[in-house]
């Protein structure tokens, strides 16, 4: 290996002095990390990339177990903890979830984003390779974001597939859920009472709930007054 390194140094006209080589190694490392970051960002599945810059947290009620600095530092990811973002439509839940996913990727982690029904449709695909690819993508991620939780009801098979995903992630990675449905109504879209109890049990164990109390941003800023 030493001979090969010496050969490459001669071909590239690089010095044997490590201090002179260091800038090239540093630049190559940074280039690879940036390419990995862009690749992870493109593969995350975000419909629109969002940022925490300028985000208004004033209309969010935080639990005692989690404060704003814990959110911004992504410390919940290191602990494999979950966030449940609960509130009315248009109050910034999806924006925050995506912004946290983007920040995680910028810090060298992997995040994936799915709307719940899109995820179930992909898992139910007749193409087994497609479904396996989804499982692999989630298994390799540090953060799974499930958007629009409870917006549309699931059938029994869909609920079972969702349970499998939650079980896959349990205590191995963080999950962020955005929903406008309180726990007591989850059975209405998860179809099965036992499955609902099992899913809630796994999610609640390591979760923090953020309650969004503001008005719909889209309605407030609508052109139709």
């Amino acid at each position: 290996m030493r001979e090969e390194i010496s050969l490459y140094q001669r071909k590239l006209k690089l010095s044997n002095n490590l201090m002179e080589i260091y800038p090239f190694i540093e630049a190559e490392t940074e280039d690879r990390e940036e390419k990995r970051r862009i690749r992870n960002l493109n593969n995350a599945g975000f419909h629109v990339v969002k940022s925490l810059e300028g985000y208004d947290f004033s209309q969010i009620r935080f639990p005692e177990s989690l404060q704003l600095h814990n959110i911004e530092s992504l410390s919940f990811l290191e602990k494999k903890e979950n966030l449940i973002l609960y509130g009315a439509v248009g109050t910034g839940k999806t924006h925050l979830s995506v912004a946290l996913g983007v920040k995680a990727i910028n810090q060298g982690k992997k995040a994936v984003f799915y709307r719940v029904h899109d995820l179930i449709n992909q898992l139910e695909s007749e193409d087994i390779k497609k479904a396996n690819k989804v499982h692999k993508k989630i298994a390799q991620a540090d953060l799974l974001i499930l958007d629009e939780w409870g917006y549309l009801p699931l059938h029994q098979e869909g609920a079972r597939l969702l349970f499998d995903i939650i079980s896959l992630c349990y205590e191995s990675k963080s999950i962020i859920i955005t929903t406008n449905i309180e726990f007591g109504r989850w059975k209405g879209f998860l179809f099965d009472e036992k499955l609902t109890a099992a899913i809630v049990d796994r999610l609640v164990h390591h979760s923090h709930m953020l309650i969004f109390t503001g008005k719909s941003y889209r309605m407030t800023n609508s052109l139709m007054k």
Side-chain angles (χ1 to χ4, degrees):
M1 183 177 289
R2 289 180 180 274
E3 292 178 0
E4 287 184 14
I5 292 173
S6 296
L7 176 61
Y8 290 136
Q9 286 174 331
R10 290 194 297 273
K11 283 184 176 181
L12 297 173
K13 297 181 181 179
L14 296 176
S15 168
N16 288 322
N17 188 325
L18 290 178
M19 292 304 295
E20 293 183 20
I21 299 174
Y22 177 78
F24 295 95
I25 298 174
E26 183 182 37
E28 177 64 20
T29 300
E30 290 177 352
D31 181 63
R32 290 188 181 187
E33 288 178 350
E34 178 62 10
K35 287 179 179 177
R36 185 182 302 113
R37 185 190 72 82
I38 293 173
R39 183 168 62 251
N40 289 339
L41 193 59
N42 290 335
N43 291 335
F46 301 129
H47 297 273
V48 180
V49 173
K50 298 290 186 179
S51 166
L52 289 177
E53 185 176 354
Y55 187 84
D56 181 11
F57 289 93
S58 65
Q59 301 299 310
I60 302 176
R61 291 213 312 264
F62 290 87
E64 292 184 4
S65 59
L66 189 79
Q67 298 303 313
L68 178 56
H69 66 88
N70 302 124
I71 296 288
E72 294 180 317
S73 67
L74 302 182
S75 63
F76 67 95
L77 285 184
E78 304 303 327
K79 299 175 183 178
K80 307 292 190 297
E81 294 175 342
N82 308 319
L83 301 181
I84 298 176
L85 311 186
Y86 168 73
V89 173
T91 51
K93 302 185 300 296
T94 299
H95 182 141
L96 180 57
S97 69
V98 171
L100 292 174
V102 170
K103 185 168 186 176
I105 290 172
N106 289 340
Q107 292 185 359
K109 298 178 174 61
K110 287 186 177 181
V112 289
F113 174 96
Y114 291 98
R115 288 173 176 155
V116 171
H117 260 72
D118 291 341
L119 171 62
I120 298 304
N121 287 338
Q122 291 184 45
L123 291 173
E124 288 186 317
S125 171
E126 295 181 0
D127 185 346
I128 301 300
K129 289 184 178 179
K130 185 175 182 180
N132 289 339
K133 185 177 179 181
V134 172
H135 274 279
K136 183 178 179 180
K137 188 175 179 180
I138 293 174
Q140 292 176 342
D142 301 288
L143 171 63
L144 169 64
I145 301 169
L146 294 176
D147 193 35
E148 299 184 352
W149 178 278
Y151 279 34
L152 295 171
L154 299 177
H155 48 71
Q156 188 171 24
E157 179 61 13
R160 186 193 65 77
L161 290 170
L162 188 57
F163 169 76
D164 289 343
I165 293 298
I166 299 301
S167 297
L168 172 68
C169 298
Y170 179 62
E171 295 190 330
S172 68
K173 67 184 83 273
S174 292
I175 302 174
I176 296 179
I177 285 175
T178 73
T179 184
N180 63 350
I181 306 294
E182 61 268 25
F183 286 133
R185 292 172 53 202
W186 279 17
K187 193 184 83 169
F189 83 93
L190 287 172
F191 183 85
D192 183 276
E193 188 170 349
K194 290 183 179 179
L195 272 177
T196 302
I199 289 174
V200 169
D201 183 65
R202 283 160 176 76
L203 281 177
V204 170
H205 186 200
H206 299 295
S207 287
H208 306 279
M209 178 177 282
L210 278 62
I211 300 177
F212 290 65
T213 61
K215 297 179 180 179
S216 169
Y217 175 84
R218 289 184 287 271
M219 292 297 291
T220 303
N221 295 275
S222 172
L223 296 177
M224 298 174 61
K225 300 293 186 181

